[in-house]
Structure formats: structure tokens, C-alpha cells
Amino acid sequence: MRILTAAQLRALDQATIRAEKITSGELMERAAKAFTKAFTRHFPDPERPVVVVCGTGNNGGDGLVVARRLKSRNYKVSVIQANIGTRSADNQDNFKRLKGQGIEVRQLTQGDPWPAIAPEAVVVDALFGTGLGRPVAGYWAELIDYLNALPNFRVAVDLPSGLSSDGPQEGPCVHADLTLCLGLPKLALFAPANTQLLGNWELVTFPLADPDRLHPEVGGGPAYQATLNDASELGGLLKKRYANDHKGTFGHAFLVAGAFGTMGAAVIAGRAVLRAGAGLLTCHIPRSGYEIMQISFPEAMCKVDTHRYHSTEIGDLGAYDSIGIGPGIGQEALTVEAVRSVLSRYERPMVIDADAINIIAAHPELLKLIPKNSLLTPHPKEFARLFGETEHDFARWQVQREVAKRNGLVIVLKTGFTSIATPGGELYFNPTGNPGMGTAGTGDALTGVLTGLLAQGYDPVTAARLGVYLHGLAGDLAAEELSQEFLLAEDVVSHLGQAYRKLRE
Ligand SMILES: NC(=O)C1=CN([C@@H]2O[C@H](COP(=O)(O)OP(=O)(O)OC[C@H]3O[C@@H](n4cnc5c(N)ncnc54)[C@H](OP(=O)(O)O)[C@@H]3O)[C@@H](O)[C@H]2O)[C@H](O)CC1
Ligand SMILES: [K+]
């Protein structure tokens, strides 16, 4: 699913109107109908009052339609009409259509005292959406502050009012508890800095023209900002397994992980390699890790380093279909040389994580040695060490894209909505995963999953998109069963089976 800018979304609306020979009012009706359906799912009790705060653009127009539709479902709904500017045509029409419906409408004009809102009411925020042209200021900014200070539950129509859809946040913004985003996702939904403003968000879909078919009109195509990975597409990318396949078919993965005190990273990553479906796994570990590995993970083969505590000399790499390097390896001088040697000798895409990333950050000349199309999986701090600090999320995505393209790498930036930048210049966002996965070892599990997918012959971009999705979905399924608090990395790994099953459905 494409992520469009506000301007592209406007063009897509127009393209939909032309292609389907509908009016803009009918399109607004579609959007508001879908919103109302989602809203009533969240708030099934019609006795709970709903106050819709409407602006004068089409976001306000959506709000007016939502009020009318909620009223027809017997909700106790009223409207606060903020007279911000000139009403859009569809706003005007829908304002007229409120008459005679028995809906209380309170007008709010600059300078008016703030309207009282009962604390149990759900506030529907329809002041501004994607048409925001500048930071909100003056009286309307104070209205936003007033709404934010209320104890009420706030549901944003499309976006929290005041949120910049395509760039860093400027100015005041409604703090939504729930955002029901209309039609297609906007980039702002994925920015970690916007988490508090958006609350939980959901996409509310309704029939819109396909932006890929209409991209000349929408001004998109390669210029689309990004893509949100969805199950329907990813499910189709899973490889089939055939009766005569065997462990050789599914690849032999090699993992360089663990050191004295961090052998758990090797165990978790190793399990994930095989649970993701690789046929064979060899782990390179320091001598002191040998018993730990063999006992806790008998399915793995071990190559033991000459050093007792660290990996220092890594032998022949020719036999392996994929390599994962980094979890728990530390940054000892001899390990740095071992990493350098692996990077310079291996010629196929590999997975580089954790300490291997920190080693590369400390020795930038290593970046050029990384085999083309390899996967780098930094979290934001590691990303900053590698590629420098950025001012905001949007700038970081830009840098992520540039460095992926320039170096021919797949860069997996691990955030709430992990982003994947490809050598071809695309940016994908992942929708699965939950805060319960912020626990030790889940990153090692991801390294394992990605290494396991590469071993099975998935191309690196598909491996990244699938691996991040499956890892997050396994975490979601585990959290559903066990709670977010309880979650351990091994729970994520042990739910990979269910995640595969669900994705194949
Ligand atoms: N396909 C869909 O998803 C559909 C979504 N729809 C909804 O339409 C809005 C976008 O509507 P639009 O009319 O383009 O814009 P807004 O309603 O968000 O706001 C425009 C009005 O607000 C004024 N404005 C903008 N910034 C400010 C500001 N900082 N201070 C005061 N006033 C501001 C603007 O006035 P200008 O002076 O800038 O011209 C407009 O009056 C989208 O979010 C969805 O909710 C449609 O229903 C169609 C389908
Ligand atoms: K809004």
C-alpha cells in the first residue's frame, strides 16, 4: 500500500472522482461512512455523547457527515462548528444537510469563550486534516490547547489537527488517543516523534483509485514517498515447499555471534535462523561458548574459535548460503579484524547487526567492504553512529534512503514502524510489532530470521520485508497470548510458526 503526500492524495481524490464519475461529495461520503463504521466499532454505546469539532475545510466536512451518520444510528451527537475560514463546497453542502436532523450545532468564532464539553463525551477532532498549510496560530491554536487540556477521549479524523502530514511537526497539534486515518497512509504516521500525537492509529479504507495505475495523474510512480508492507502482498512472496525438498534446498546459514557473557545472543539468533526455515546452521563462537551452544541448541553445528572469549579467526566461508554477523560479538581489536576479514572474503549478501554495526561505525573504511545488497539492521542509535545525527525522523529517512542507494545496501532501521531502504531507492514501512518487543534479544532474533531467509534464497529486499514482518507478527501473536510485559525474545522466536501460518492464509 502506497504512502502518499498530501498533494498526491489530493490528486488521487481528483483521479478517483474522474475515473469513477462520482462527485467530490460522494467521495467525502465514502470516507466519512468508513470512518463512522470504524468509530462505532470502537464506541458501540450510542448513549455515550459524541462532540464533533469541525473546521471549514474537507476535514471539517468529513466531521459533519460523521455527525449526520452517527445521528442516524441514534448516537447522542452534537457539533461544534469552528468558523476558521471560508467553507469548502462539500463542507457547505454537508452543513446544510445537518438541518432538521435534530443535531445541536454550536458556532465558535474567534474570541468566543471555550465551549463546555461533558467529560464523558468522545471528542471527534475534525478541525484540519491534510489541508493544513502552515502551523496553527492564535485563537485556533488556543482551541487546540483547550481540547488537549480536557480529560476527554479524542479521536482524530484522518490526522490529529495541526499535524504535518509530510514533514517534521511545527506548531500546536491535537493529542489524539486514536487516529482513524482515511484512505491511504501518510508519512507522519510512521514518525517516532509523532507517537504521542497520534495515539493508536488505524487505517480506515474505502474505495479509491489505484495510485499505481493512475500515477501519471497523481504525480507518483517512482516519486511515491514510500510503501506500507501489507500481508496480502507479502503472503504472495513466500516460497512454496515441495515434496522432494530437503535441508540442502533450504540453505546452510552461518552465524558469527556471541562472546563470553553474551552467548545468549548466539542462542537466540541461531534458533531464529532455523525457525525461519533455513536447512542447516553453523555457528562460529568463542571456545568458552561451546558447551552452552551445544546443550541449549543441539540443532546447530559449532565452529569454535581459537580464542576462549571472543571470535578472532573465522575460517572458510565458501560453503554458506548466508551469513549473519554481530549479535553479542563485542568490539575487541581481534574481533574487529575478524569482521574485516569476513566482509572482505564473503561475496554474497549477508546480515550485519549489533556489534558488527558498531565496529563498522568505528572503522568507516569497512563500509566499502560490505558485500552488495547486504542487510544492515541498526536501531536509531546505531544508525546515528554509522551515518550521523539527523534533525528529525523525516531527515533520517532521507539519509537512510541515500546511504542505501549509494552503498548498494538494504538498510533496516529498527523503530516502532521499522523502515527498510533498498539499493533501488524504495522505502518500505512495516506494520507489525509492539512495544512488548522492546526487550533483550529481540534484535538478535531478527538477525536470525533475516539470515535464515537469505539462506533459503529469498532476494535481500524480500528477505528484509518478509523477515521484519514475520518477526513483528510473531511478537504480536506472542503478546496476544502472553501480554506485552511478559514477552521474551524466545517467545518471539517460538511464535514464528504461527506467524508463517497466518501470513500464508
Ligand atoms: N481521499 C481521502 O482520504 C479523502 C479525504 N477527505 C478529507 O479531506 C481532508 C483534506 O481537506 P482539505 O479541504 O484539503 O483540507 P483541511 O480540511 O485539512 O483544511 C483546509 C482548510 O483549513 C485552512 N487552513 C489550513 N491551514 C491552516 C492554519 N494553519 N490555520 C488556519 N486555517 C488553516 C485552509 O485555509 P487556507 O487559508 O489554507 O486556504 C482550508 O480552509 C482530509 O484530511 C480528509 O479528512 C475528503 O473527504 C475526500 C476524500
Ligand atoms: K483532524
Side-chain angles (χ1 to χ4, degrees):
M1 184 176 279
R2 297 295 189 186
I3 298 165
L4 270 59
T5 62
Q8 289 170 338
L9 285 165
R10 261 194 298 281
L12 184 67
D13 283 353
Q14 292 313 311
T16 305
I17 288 166
R18 274 194 301 275
E20 299 195 23
K21 300 192 173 57
I22 57 170
T23 63
S24 58
E26 283 167 315
L27 188 64
M28 180 176 281
E29 197 72 32
R30 274 186 198 177
K33 183 181 170 189
F35 179 95
T36 307
K37 193 171 164 202
F39 181 88
T40 55
R41 202 167 22 80
H42 282 277
F43 301 96
D45 177 11
E47 291 301 312
R48 183 164 179 186
V50 180
V51 177
V52 189
V53 188
C54 298
T56 38
N58 287 341
N59 193 253
D62 287 347
L64 296 170
V65 180
V66 168
R68 166 161 51 78
R69 287 188 161 264
L70 285 175
K71 183 69 187 177
S72 74
R73 294 184 178 214
N74 298 316
Y75 274 70
K76 286 193 168 154
V77 57
S78 68
V79 167
I80 294 174
Q81 174 64 65
N83 295 311
I84 301 172
T86 314
R87 278 181 195 283
S88 71
D90 291 321
N91 184 304
Q92 216 161 4
D93 284 351
N94 282 300
F95 190 69
K96 284 187 197 139
R97 288 182 69 181
L98 278 193
K99 294 236 166 70
Q101 306 276 337
I103 299 173
E104 185 201 357
V105 179
R106 287 178 283 174
Q107 299 283 343
L108 190 67
T109 303
Q110 282 214 38
D112 283 351
W114 302 127
I117 299 178
E120 72 279 13
V122 180
V123 171
V124 174
D125 156 38
L127 282 169
F128 305 105
T130 53
L132 188 83
R134 56 200 171 276
V136 187
Y139 179 80
W140 304 115
E142 285 168 33
L143 172 62
I144 288 177
D145 293 341
Y146 168 69
L147 294 176
N148 284 338
L150 294 175
N152 301 63
F153 195 97
R154 292 175 285 269
V155 183
V157 177
D158 202 17
L159 291 174
S161 297
L163 193 77
S164 314
S165 58
D166 310 321
Q169 185 53 24
E170 289 176 277
C173 177
V174 166
H175 291 210
D177 296 291
L178 173 67
T179 295
L180 298 175
C181 175
L182 297 174
L184 289 174
K186 293 92 181 151
L187 205 49
L189 297 178
F190 306 98
N194 290 342
T195 311
Q196 304 288 329
L197 303 175
L198 292 157
N200 290 327
W201 66 260
E202 277 174 29
L203 200 61
V204 167
T205 57
F206 56 90
L208 270 176
D210 175 0
D212 277 348
R213 266 199 315 118
L214 291 174
H215 70 77
E217 284 168 78
V218 180
Y224 283 134
Q225 310 209 77
T227 302
L228 176 60
N229 283 330
D230 58 73
S232 57
E233 191 198 347
L234 291 188
L237 300 176
L238 287 172
K239 284 180 189 284
K240 290 201 175 63
R241 294 198 159 205
Y242 299 97
N244 282 319
D245 287 345
H246 51 85
K247 59 189 176 199
T249 320
F250 306 124
H252 189 166
F254 185 59
L255 192 63
V256 182
F260 185 77
T262 52
M263 281 311 294
V267 175
I268 294 165
R271 275 217 183 95
V273 170
L274 290 184
R275 291 293 192 195
L280 293 163
L281 170 66
T282 299
C283 292
H284 183 100
I285 48 174
R287 266 199 301 142
S288 60
Y290 180 67
E291 278 88 0
I292 297 171
M293 200 69 194
Q294 292 276 280
I295 293 168
S296 53
F297 189 32
E299 292 86 352
M301 295 176 276
C302 290
K303 281 241 163 112
V304 180
D305 204 272
T306 50
H307 198 285
R308 189 164 172 75
Y309 301 126
H310 308 285
S311 285
T312 61
E313 270 177 74
I314 294 160
D316 188 23
L317 305 173
Y320 305 116
D321 298 297
S322 72
I323 294 182
I325 189 167
I329 61 173
Q331 298 180 52
E332 293 294 315
L334 290 173
T335 305
V336 172
E337 290 321 304
V339 169
R340 187 190 304 275
S341 144
V342 170
L343 296 182
S344 40
R345 282 183 293 137
Y346 197 62
E347 285 175 353
R348 297 158 73 168
M350 55 191 287
V351 182
I352 298 163
D353 184 34
D355 283 327
I357 290 181
N358 291 326
I359 285 174
I360 295 168
H363 305 269
E365 76 282 2
L366 295 184
L367 197 61
K368 290 191 187 64
L369 298 180
I370 301 175
K372 286 284 165 273
N373 299 310
S374 287
L375 280 62
L376 247 78
T377 57
H379 57 57
K381 276 194 186 139
E382 291 167 343
F383 184 89
R385 277 178 220 139
L386 269 176
F387 304 117
E389 297 283 346
T390 42
E391 250 177 71
H392 46 73
D393 299 320
F394 296 81
R396 190 170 59 197
W397 288 325
Q398 195 55 39
V399 172
Q400 185 189 0
R401 263 186 146 135
E402 282 163 15
V403 292
K405 213 168 163 181
R406 184 162 6 103
N407 297 292
L409 298 172
V410 181
I411 304 210
V412 177
L413 174 62
K414 297 184 285 196
T415 58
F417 295 94
T418 291
S419 52
I420 300 163
T422 74
E426 296 120 331
L427 190 66
Y428 293 98
F429 284 90
N430 180 63
T432 59
N434 64 79
M437 296 172 76
T439 177
T442 53
D444 307 329
L446 178 64
T447 301
V449 171
L450 297 172
T451 308
L453 290 170
L454 281 184
Q456 289 168 80
Y458 285 98
D459 72 81
V461 172
T462 304
R465 294 175 69 195
L466 271 178
V468 173
Y469 189 93
L470 284 166
H471 175 260
L473 181 57
D476 291 342
L477 293 165
E480 224 170 84
E481 195 181 307
L482 305 166
S483 84
Q484 291 191 5
E485 288 79 1
F486 185 84
L487 211 76
L488 289 184
E490 68 171 39
D491 299 317
V492 176
V493 177
S494 65
H495 282 76
L496 278 169
Q498 279 170 257
Y500 264 114
R501 195 166 278 162
K502 192 157 180 193
L503 189 58
R504 273 198 200 278
E505 267 167 17

